[in-house]
Amino acid sequence: MYVAVKGGEAAISNAHRLLADRRRGDRSLPSITIDQVAEQLGLAVDRVMAEASLYDRSLAALAVRQSRGDLIEAIFLLRAYRTTLPRFGSSVPLDTAEMQVERRVSATYKDLPGGQLLGPTFDYTHRLLDPSLLSDEAVEEPARRNAGDEQIMRVSDILAHEGLIEADGELPQDHQAGDLTREPMEFPMSRDLRLQALARGDEGFLLALGYSTQRGYGRNHPFVGEIRIGEVEVEMDVPELGFAVSLGHIRVTECQMVNQFKGSSKAPPQFTRGYGLVFGQSERKSMSMSLVDRALRAEELGEDITAPAQDEEFVISHSDNVQATGFVEHLKLPHYVDFQAELAMVRRMRADIEGARDGETEMKDAAE
Amino acid sequence: MSANTHVFTGGFSDPVFQSQSVFRMLMDGMARPGSVHAVEHDAGQPDPLGTAAGAIALTLCDHDTPVWLSAGFSKSSVGEWMGFHSGASLTREKAEARFAFVEAGAALSSFGLFSPGTQEYPDRSTTLVIEVAALGEGQSFTLSGPGILQSKSVEITGLPEAFLRLWADNRPLFPRGVDVILTAGRSFLCLPRTTKIVA
Amino acid sequence: MSADLATYNFAYLDEQTKRMIRRAILKAIAIPGYQVPFASREMPMPYGWGTGGVQVTASIIGPEDVLKVIDQGADDTTNAVSIRAFFQKVADVAVTTHTKDATIIQTRHRIPEQKLTEGQVLVYQVPIPEPLRFLEPRETETRKMHALEEYGLMHVKLYEDIAINGRISKTYAYPVKVDGRYVMDPSPTPKFDNPKMHMSDALQLFGAGREKRIYAVPPHTEVVSLDFEDYPFEIQTFEQDCALCGAHGVYLDEVVLDDKGGRMFVCSDTDHCEDRREHGHVGAMLAPNQEAAE
C-alpha cells in the first residue's frame, strides 16, 4: 500500500544530527579546536578567506571545521555570513610596495634590490611523506632576518623606470571600485570587477584556465615578474577626519606577471601585465589569476579571442565555485514532475513508431 | 520648529514593517493599475510633499537611486528630508533620476528628458511620483492593459493637463518608457507603462 | 570570536537589499516577461535550491502573510520543508499547506491545481531564466535578441523538433509569450501548467538567484505558449485518475510499486488530493474492496 512520504522535517533533523556525529568522529579523540585549524591548516583557512571574500581567520577556521574540511562548503558558509554584514565603506587601495615581505621571488632577474626571499614555501621540498609528522615531535624555531624598515622595490617599478612595462591603467577621476556582490553583473565588465571575480574565483578552475593558456589556448608568454607574500596595511579614508586611518594589517599574495610586449608605430613596444592578488598565502591562485587576467585583456590589447581563457563571459560566469556547486548539486533535488512529463513523451513517441511499424506489417500481410 | 530641524524629524517609526506594508500596496498597485491604495503610516514629511509620496520615497529610495524634484519641491526642505531619511542624493539631470517627485499643479511639458531605459535594459527607467488633487473623485478615465480584467475606470481630480498626451507618447516606446505613481495625500494609484488610458 | 555571530533582520535580508529587490519587482511587473537584473545576494542555502524565490519571498513577505511552499507540487518534499522552516525561523510567519489559505505560495516545478485568486502571489524558483539559453549560451547575444524582439530562432528550433520527432517534444519549461512581447521561461514547470499562467487572477513573480534575474506576469495578462498553426500547443493528458482521490485532468506522479512493472498514479498536488479526499472523493486504491462488497 502506497503512503505519501511524510515527515520531511524529522528526516531533515535526523540527517543534521548524523552529520554532527560524523563531523565529530571518534569521541575518544580530542576535538580539534578553531585555533588548531587556524594555526595548523593555515593554507586551507587562507583559501576559504580568499574565495569567500572575507578576511577573518577565526571565522574561516570555524567554517573549515564546521564543513568537515570541505573547503567549498566552508567558502559557502563564510560567504553566507559575509552577506549579512553591514558595509561601512571602501578602503584606500593597498600599497603592496610597502609590504612587510615574507617571501619574494622574481623569475625575471637573477638578483635585484631586496633580494630573492624564499620564505615559507613548499618549493624545493622533496615530496616524501615525513614520518616525524606521525608523532608530535618538536619543531625548530625558524631562522629570522632583521626585517628593517627598508621598502622592497617591486619589479614592476624597476621595469617602469625604463618605460619597459605598461603603466597602471588610469581610471576616471570619479570612478568608484565596483562590487559584484552588490551590483548585478553585466558584460563586458570593467577590469576592477573582473579582478574581483577572479580573486574570489575557484582556485582549481583558474588553475586549469591559466594552464590552458600556457599550452597554447590563448598563449601570452608569461614571466613571473614577481610574487610577494606578506602583510600590508589596510587604511580607510574618513571624510570627517580628513585623513586615512589604519584598520590593521592583512596578509596577501601578489603576483605580477610580465607578458608579451606590444607596440605600434606610435608607441614603442612595452611588456604587458597580468595581475593577481589574493588574501593569505596562495601562490597557485595568484599566479593563475594573473594568467587569466592577462588572457581576458585580449580584446583591450587588440588580440584575437580564440581560447576559453580569453572569453570573459565564459570565464566569469563559471568561475564562482559556490554558484557552480549549487547548480550542479541541485540536480539531486526531486525532478520527478518534469521526469514524468518526459516519460510520457518518450512512451508516446515509442508508441507512434511501434504503431507505424505494426501498420506496415499489416499492409504487408494483406498484400501477401 | 525651524525649517532645518524639520529635515531630521519624521521617517517611519517602524521602518522594517512600515516599508513592507507600503511596498505591498505598491506591488499590488503596479500589478493592478488604477487600484487606489491608502498609506496608513505618516512619515512626517515636510510640506508640500504628501503622505503617500513621502512614504513611497522612504520605501523605495536610497543612495542607489538619484532623485529629481520638481521646482516646488526643490524650493522646500523636501530634498534634505529625503536625503536625511533615505540616503538618496538629488540630481538636476532628469535622465539620471531613478525617481522623480512632482508637486501638485506643476506643469508637465514632457517625459522625454526622464530616462525611458534602453531597449536592452528597459528597467533602467525613471518612475515618476506625481501629486494630484484627489483620487477616487473627479474626472473619469478608463484604463486597460496587463493587470486589468477588460477595463477599469478611475476618477482623478487635477491630473496635469498634458498628461494624457504625454502618456500616449510613452506607450509606443514599449518596452522602454517611464512608470507613474499618482499620489493624492494618503492615496495613490500606479500606472505602469503598459496601461492604456482613455478619458 | 563572538558566540552570537549575527542577528538577522526580519525575513533575513537587510533593508537595503529588500529595497533593491522591491524596485526590481516593480519594474518587472511594469514590463511583463522582461528579466530585470538584480544584485542577488549569497543566501544561506545553495544556489540552484531556490535562492531567487527565497529572496523574492523575503522581500515581499510581512507579518500578516500566510506562506505555502511546494516542490514538485508537494508541501512535504524536503526542500519545501526546509524553505518553509527557514521563513518560520527568520520571519515567524504563519504557514499553511492549503492553497486557498495562502497569500504567498513559493513553488518549484508546479502551479497548484486549484485556481489562484486575486490577492495571492505565486513565487517561482527559477534555475535558468533565459528561454533562449538553450539556443544561445551568451547573455550578450540573448539580451540583443529580446531587445529586437528577434525570436525567429526559437521558432526554427521548435520546428526542427517537429521535423525530427513529429511533434514539439519539449515537455517542461515550455516557452511562452507574455502580453504579446517578451518570450519567457515559465521555469521548469510541466507544460501541463502553462495554461494556468494565462489570465491568472494572481500575481506571478519569478526569482532566479544564481542568474540574478527577477521577472513577473501581472494578473489578467496574456500568456501564450509558442506553437504553430499546424502544430498547436497541447498539454499532457493522463489516461488514469488519481489512485487516492480519483481526480481526473490533474497532473499525476507515477509511483513504482514493485519490480514487476506495477505502478500507480497519484496527484502531484498533495493539498489538492487531500482536500478532495476530505470531501469524500475516493480513488481506486482507497475504494472499499469491490469483490468483497459484491
Side-chain angles (χ1 to χ4, degrees):
Chain A
M1 166 69 207
Y2 166 79
V3 184
V5 187
K6 286 277 177 199
E9 225 152 319
I12 289 174
S13 118
N14 283 337
H16 292 173
R17 207 168 129 190
L18 185 57
L19 173 68
D21 171 81
R22 295 295 148 88
R23 178 191 298 125
R24 177 60 182 85
D26 185 345
R27 308 289 203 282
S28 67
L29 296 170
S31 178
I32 192 169
T33 68
I34 300 306
D35 291 341
Q36 285 168 348
V37 174
E39 287 298 309
Q40 297 172 41
L41 297 174
L43 298 186
V45 169
D46 282 352
R47 178 172 176 196
V48 171
M49 293 196 304
E51 292 174 30
S53 307
L54 182 70
Y55 197 95
D56 188 316
R57 296 196 68 79
S58 305
L59 290 180
L62 170 64
V64 170
R65 181 179 170 188
Q66 186 176 333
S67 66
R68 306 176 64 194
D70 177 337
L71 295 191
I72 292 181
E73 182 66 26
I75 291 161
F76 182 11
L77 285 168
L78 202 54
R79 281 205 198 168
Y81 174 68
R82 177 190 187 271
T83 196
T84 66
L85 298 176
R87 168 158 314 224
F88 299 115
S90 321
S91 76
V92 175
L94 298 181
D95 186 357
T96 52
E98 296 288 341
M99 181 187 281
Q100 286 288 321
V101 172
E102 188 176 41
R103 168 168 165 80
R104 186 270 200 122
V105 290
S106 168
T108 51
Y109 293 101
K110 179 175 182 183
D111 199 6
L112 67 173
Q116 308 262 14
L117 299 168
L118 285 187
T121 178
F122 291 119
D123 299 351
Y124 320 114
T125 61
H126 297 141
R127 270 60 170 200
L128 304 170
L129 285 172
D130 180 357
S132 76
L133 291 175
L134 287 171
S135 59
D136 194 15
E137 280 180 29
V139 176
E140 250 185 308
E141 286 301 314
R144 294 186 183 274
R145 79 193 146 96
N146 276 330
D149 289 336
E150 97 220 82
Q151 179 192 347
I152 296 182
M153 191 178 199
R154 283 186 300 208
V155 170
S156 54
D157 295 330
I158 299 173
L159 285 165
H161 274 308
E162 285 183 71
L164 288 173
I165 197 161
E166 61 172 334
D168 291 334
E170 290 293 325
L171 287 170
Q173 193 88 66
D174 57 350
H175 181 83
Q176 284 189 324
D179 181 353
L180 51 82
T181 67
R182 294 271 147 175
E183 302 148 21
M185 212 186 268
E186 190 187 323
F187 297 107
M189 285 177 130
S190 57
R191 193 165 172 216
D192 51 346
L193 282 169
R194 210 161 66 198
L195 286 168
Q196 183 192 14
L198 295 176
R200 54 196 257 125
D202 183 70
E203 180 176 312
F205 180 70
L206 296 183
L207 175 66
L209 282 174
Y211 178 44
S212 73
T213 66
Q214 290 180 281
R215 290 195 65 260
Y217 290 85
R219 208 167 145 70
N220 53 40
H221 308 281
F223 294 93
V224 170
E226 179 175 5
I227 293 165
R228 53 172 61 200
I229 302 175
E231 293 203 339
V232 290
E233 190 166 31
V234 182
E235 293 179 303
M236 193 166 139
D237 270 328
V238 181
E240 288 82 357
L241 295 177
F243 55 86
V245 295
S246 175
L247 302 177
H249 289 79
I250 62 170
R251 179 183 302 275
V252 295
T253 303
E254 182 186 56
C255 175
Q256 296 255 16
M257 206 61 90
V258 178
N259 297 78
Q260 77 192 50
F261 47 82
K262 181 181 160 22
S264 65
S265 52
K266 286 174 203 140
Q270 280 185 316
F271 289 107
T272 57
R273 294 198 284 183
Y275 188 71
L277 181 76
V278 290
F279 284 159
Q281 174 174 350
S282 182
E283 248 158 70
R284 184 185 303 124
K285 170 72 182 277
S286 65
M287 292 174 75
S288 305
M289 177 177 168
S290 54
L291 287 172
V292 177
D293 170 49
R294 176 59 184 80
L296 290 176
R297 295 180 63 207
E299 190 170 357
E300 174 199 340
L301 297 170
E303 297 162 351
D304 289 338
I305 296 177
T306 56
Q310 296 168 317
D311 182 336
E312 180 183 74
E313 189 170 338
F314 175 79
V315 171
I316 304 299
S317 300
H318 303 112
S319 61
D320 188 306
N321 54 23
V322 175
Q323 289 177 7
T325 200
F327 201 47
V328 167
E329 293 196 48
H330 109 286
L331 290 172
K332 67 193 166 193
L333 288 179
H335 283 77
Y336 52 77
V337 163
D338 291 344
F339 189 69
Q340 183 61 49
E342 295 280 88
L343 263 181
M345 177 60 76
V346 172
R347 280 180 184 143
R348 207 173 133 186
M349 282 163 56
R350 288 174 64 89
D352 283 355
I353 290 172
E354 272 156 28
R357 204 180 286 153
D358 291 350
E360 274 171 34
T361 327
E362 269 168 39
M363 282 195 355
K364 213 183 275 174
D365 288 350
E368 273 166 11
Chain B
M1 197 190 290
S2 81
N4 209 15
T5 55
H6 197 67
V7 166
F8 306 113
T9 61
F12 284 140
S13 56
D14 188 352
V16 171
F17 295 107
Q18 288 170 356
S19 53
Q20 188 273 338
S21 145
V22 174
F23 169 71
R24 275 299 275 278
M25 286 192 273
L26 281 165
M27 183 173 90
D28 196 55
M30 276 292 172
R32 293 175 175 78
S35 58
V36 179
H37 300 262
V39 172
E40 292 161 32
H41 313 288
D42 204 296
Q45 69 291 333
D47 290 337
L49 194 65
T51 300
I56 290 166
L58 296 188
T59 300
L60 296 179
C61 299
D62 57 30
H63 53 261
D64 290 334
T65 59
V67 167
W68 181 91
L69 296 180
S70 61
F73 285 147
S74 289
K75 276 182 273 174
S76 70
S77 57
V78 165
E80 286 168 275
W81 182 84
M82 276 190 198
F84 178 77
H85 290 285
S86 75
S89 60
L90 297 185
T91 178
R92 286 163 178 275
E93 294 298 321
K94 289 180 175 177
E96 278 177 13
R98 296 294 305 276
F99 291 92
F101 289 82
V102 179
E103 87 265 13
L108 279 176
S109 55
S110 164
F111 290 157
L113 292 176
F114 292 109
S115 173
T118 65
Q119 200 69 14
E120 277 83 12
Y121 293 98
D123 56 304
R124 296 180 184 174
S125 62
T126 310
T127 301
L128 284 97
V129 181
I130 303 171
E131 185 83 10
V132 297
L135 297 171
E137 53 188 274
Q139 196 189 343
S140 182
F141 299 88
T142 305
L143 311 185
S144 59
I148 299 165
L149 186 61
Q150 286 157 354
S151 68
K152 177 174 181 61
S153 89
V154 294
E155 288 77 44
I156 305 168
T157 307
L159 191 68
E161 208 172 299
F163 188 88
L164 285 190
R165 180 175 54 79
L166 301 183
W167 194 250
D169 293 343
N170 189 51
R171 186 70 184 88
L173 298 177
F174 193 84
R176 294 178 301 134
V178 298
D179 305 306
V180 167
I181 303 170
L182 296 180
T183 54
R186 293 189 171 278
S187 310
F188 71 87
L189 66 80
C190 299
L191 298 170
R193 67 195 76 179
T194 48
T195 302
K196 298 177 194 74
I197 309 177
V198 181
Chain C
M1 198 191 323
S2 159
D4 185 21
L5 286 177
T7 50
Y8 300 111
N9 192 23
F10 174 80
Y12 184 78
L13 297 174
D14 59 277
E15 290 303 298
Q16 205 270 322
T17 298
K18 285 185 196 166
R19 260 194 311 275
M20 176 268 295
I21 293 173
R22 287 167 180 171
R23 290 192 296 259
I25 291 172
L26 295 184
K27 288 297 177 191
I29 296 170
I31 317 165
Y34 164 76
Q35 303 163 50
V36 182
F38 81 110
S40 177
R41 297 293 192 248
E42 316 250 24
M43 297 299 284
M45 54 203 52
Y47 284 116
W49 298 53
T51 55
V54 168
Q55 288 181 79
V56 168
T57 298
S59 301
I60 68 175
I61 203 165
E64 274 141 46
D65 278 307
V66 180
L67 176 70
K68 172 181 165 82
V69 184
I70 50 173
D71 187 341
Q72 313 297 297
D75 299 89
D76 54 12
T77 31
T78 40
N79 205 42
V81 169
S82 170
I83 289 172
R84 190 166 55 240
F86 175 74
F87 280 109
Q88 283 176 287
K89 183 171 170 187
V90 299
D92 191 25
V93 71
V95 297
T96 183
T97 58
H98 301 306
T99 300
K100 62 177 182 342
D101 297 337
T103 56
I104 299 173
I105 302 171
Q106 180 168 329
T107 181
R108 177 170 171 264
H109 293 193
R110 275 311 310 278
I111 300 174
E113 302 291 357
Q114 190 173 347
K115 192 173 179 303
L116 300 181
T117 56
E118 293 275 335
Q120 287 187 309
V121 184
L122 185 59
V123 179
Y124 295 74
Q125 300 171 200
V126 182
I128 301 277
E130 179 51 72
L132 305 169
R133 189 63 75 229
F134 71 100
L135 307 173
E136 167 55 60
R138 276 172 204 285
E139 155 75 13
T140 36
E141 292 300 317
T142 53
R143 186 160 288 279
K144 266 183 234 153
M145 292 159 80
H146 284 295
L148 300 171
E149 205 174 350
E150 182 50 68
Y151 297 129
L153 197 57
M154 177 70 98
H155 282 96
V156 170
K157 182 78 184 168
L158 292 175
Y159 214 88
E160 270 176 17
D161 201 11
I162 295 170
I164 295 167
N165 295 312
R167 57 166 58 82
I168 297 174
S169 66
K170 203 158 176 51
T171 58
Y172 61 92
Y174 190 101
V176 295
K177 194 168 223 182
V178 181
D179 194 34
R181 175 57 175 80
Y182 281 99
V183 167
M184 185 187 92
D185 185 312
S187 88
T189 49
K191 65 181 174 183
F192 179 89
D193 284 338
N194 276 20
K196 295 180 190 149
M197 307 178 80
H198 177 62
M199 300 303 273
S200 170
D201 290 341
L203 169 64
Q204 302 172 75
L205 300 177
F206 300 77
R210 192 179 39 77
E211 299 280 341
K212 304 177 170 58
R213 297 287 183 275
I214 286 171
Y215 51 104
V217 177
H220 316 303
T221 299
E222 259 192 23
V223 179
V224 179
S225 303
L226 300 184
D227 65 356
F228 300 94
E229 245 168 56
D230 45 346
Y231 284 92
F233 172 78
E234 51 179 22
I235 61 170
Q236 294 102 330
T237 51
F238 293 84
E239 287 166 20
Q240 303 84 345
D241 299 339
C242 171
L244 301 178
C245 76
H248 190 75
V250 296
Y251 201 80
L252 300 175
D253 293 335
E254 181 172 335
V255 179
V256 176
L257 296 172
D258 53 39
D259 58 1
K260 299 177 187 68
R263 48 186 34 100
M264 64 186 277
F265 289 82
V266 296
C267 282
S268 142
D269 183 336
T270 49
D271 173 60
H272 184 70
C273 195
E274 280 160 24
D275 189 59
R276 279 179 54 84
R277 276 180 278 152
E278 268 166 38
H279 285 84
H281 296 279
V282 181
M285 185 68 110
L286 296 182
N289 191 319
Q290 293 192 350
E291 273 173 48
E294 271 164 18

